């Protein structure tokens, strides 16, 4: 018969089914763990997530502030060289490649570390993303954000922003409409994200562009730990995110 011993408050359990040796080793592990972390298991996991987010932010800042800048300086040096000694096809290709690489690195850096989100909060970051989709694709996103989002912990804002931008891309690719309304509401410890098509008068809802659209939405929800309450655009997509 298996015998378990543990701290009910901290949810730490030790298997003693193999006898005294297992008990001794488990208690030793418990002692070593307490030296590192003296809190609940949930807080321990949250601390790991926060450290990961901090690491991601540092990588993003490195890409944006150091690596991209260094590549840009290389591109300027190459331009100065060609201005002095003449341009060649190989040098033009290298210069164009450096320019493209700088843009790609800066775009990736924004995904890892969004300066507007980190400095000004989720409202400004969402506004920037919405404006970008309007400018690049002509895709209009009308947003209604709960003022309580300002009170969310920074990491919760980052998580929500990543979910919203994934939904933006999904809708831009899949939606038959060129305009979408998204509302975000905070209710206790849950965030409700509702998506509705926004049509001009007399415009009708057509079918989704791709048959695997619901599957893609499921993958997005799974990635960001959101729960799909409704997945049909006609009735309004509804997702719930627990914070």
């Amino acid at each position: 018969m298996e015998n378990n011993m543990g701290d009910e408050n901290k949810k730490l359990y030790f298997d003693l089914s193999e006898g005294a040796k297992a008990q001794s080793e488990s208690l030793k592990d418990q002692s070593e763990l307490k030296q590192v972390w003296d809190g609940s298991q949930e807080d321990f996991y949250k601390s790991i997530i926060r450290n990961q987010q901090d690491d991601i932010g540092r990588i993003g800042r490195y890409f944006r502030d150091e690596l991209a800048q260094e590549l840009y300086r290389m591109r300027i040096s190459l331009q100065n060289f060609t201005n002095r000694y003449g341009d060649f096809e190989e040098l033009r290709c290298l210069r164009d490649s450096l320019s493209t690489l700088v843009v790609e690195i800066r775009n990736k850096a924004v995904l890892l570390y969004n300066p507007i989100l980190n400095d000004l909060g989720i409202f400004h970051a969402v506004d920037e993303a919405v404006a970008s989709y309007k400018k690049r694709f002509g895709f209009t996103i009308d947003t209604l954000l709960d003022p309580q989002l300002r009170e969310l912990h920074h990491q919760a804002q980052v998580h929500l922003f990543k979910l919203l931008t994934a939904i933006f891309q999904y809708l831009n690719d899949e939606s038959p409409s060129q305009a979408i309304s998204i509302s975000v509401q905070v209710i206790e410890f849950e965030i409700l994200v509702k998506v509705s098509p926004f049509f001009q008068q007399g415009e009708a809802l057509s079918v989704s562009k791709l048959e695997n659209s619901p599957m893609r939405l499921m993958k997005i929800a799974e990635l960001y730990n959101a729960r799909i309450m409704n997945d049909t655009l006609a009735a309004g997509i509804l997702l719930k995110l627990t914070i």
Side-chain angles (χ1 to χ4, degrees):
M1 179 176 180
E2 183 175 307
N3 180 22
N4 290 320
M5 180 182 73
D7 186 332
E8 291 292 342
N9 295 324
K10 298 182 179 178
K11 306 299 182 185
L12 298 177
Y13 297 91
F14 305 94
D15 184 11
L16 307 181
S17 58
E18 294 183 6
K21 181 178 179 181
Q23 179 180 3
S24 176
E25 291 177 354
S26 296
L27 292 176
K28 180 181 177 182
D29 292 341
Q30 179 187 19
S31 177
E32 291 177 351
L33 176 60
K34 284 187 175 181
Q35 292 177 8
V36 178
W37 181 263
D38 189 18
S40 69
Q41 191 177 46
E42 181 181 0
D43 289 340
F44 179 63
Y45 290 147
K46 287 181 178 179
S47 73
I48 293 176
I49 294 173
R50 285 195 296 270
N51 289 335
Q52 289 176 338
Q53 292 292 341
D54 290 342
D55 288 341
I56 290 173
R58 281 191 289 271
I59 293 171
R61 288 192 293 273
Y62 168 74
F63 280 179
R64 186 193 65 172
D65 299 337
E66 297 185 33
L67 185 57
Q69 291 294 336
E70 182 62 28
L71 289 172
Y72 185 72
R73 285 192 290 267
M74 292 172 61
R75 193 241 183 238
I76 294 299
S77 297
L78 184 60
Q79 180 67 57
N80 293 335
F81 179 86
T82 56
N83 290 341
R84 178 175 300 181
Y85 299 104
D87 205 356
F88 305 94
E89 182 178 357
E90 292 81 359
L91 295 178
R92 284 196 299 271
C93 290
L94 179 57
R95 189 170 63 244
D96 292 343
S97 296
L98 285 172
S99 299
T100 301
L101 188 56
V102 168
V103 172
E104 290 181 355
I105 288 178
R106 284 177 172 168
N107 289 338
K108 293 295 187 296
V110 169
L111 294 176
L112 295 171
Y113 172 79
N114 188 305
I116 292 181
L117 177 62
N118 282 271
D119 297 340
L120 301 178
I122 190 169
F123 279 76
H124 289 84
V126 169
D127 286 344
E128 181 200 35
V130 167
S132 176
Y133 275 91
K134 177 67 174 178
K135 181 178 180 180
R136 289 186 296 161
F137 307 110
F139 187 66
T140 300
I141 305 171
D142 183 25
T143 60
L144 180 61
L145 304 182
D146 192 326
Q148 293 186 66
L149 293 176
R150 292 190 178 93
E151 307 301 323
L152 293 181
H153 188 275
H154 176 70
Q155 297 304 333
Q157 290 190 22
V158 171
H159 189 81
L160 175 61
F161 178 75
K162 289 182 177 180
L163 172 62
L164 290 176
T165 52
I167 293 175
F168 292 166
Q169 188 61 52
Y170 165 77
L171 294 172
N172 181 65
D173 296 340
E174 310 290 346
S175 172
S177 172
Q178 286 299 304
I180 289 292
S181 173
I182 294 185
S183 65
V184 182
Q185 185 178 9
V186 180
I187 302 177
E188 295 183 349
F189 298 103
E190 294 179 332
I191 299 176
L192 296 179
V193 180
K194 185 175 182 180
V195 181
S196 302
F198 186 77
F199 298 106
Q200 296 179 355
Q201 187 175 2
E203 203 172 7
L205 179 65
S206 62
V207 297
S208 248
K209 294 179 182 178
L210 299 177
E211 293 181 358
N212 64 347
S213 172
M215 181 61 69
R216 180 176 173 186
L217 181 62
M218 290 173 60
K219 292 296 184 182
I220 292 174
E222 180 182 349
L223 179 62
Y224 295 102
N225 298 318
R227 197 165 51 142
I228 300 176
M229 311 302 292
N230 185 71
D231 63 1
T232 58
L233 192 60
I237 294 174
L238 182 63
L239 297 96
K240 181 183 292 186
L241 179 65
T242 301
I243 55 177

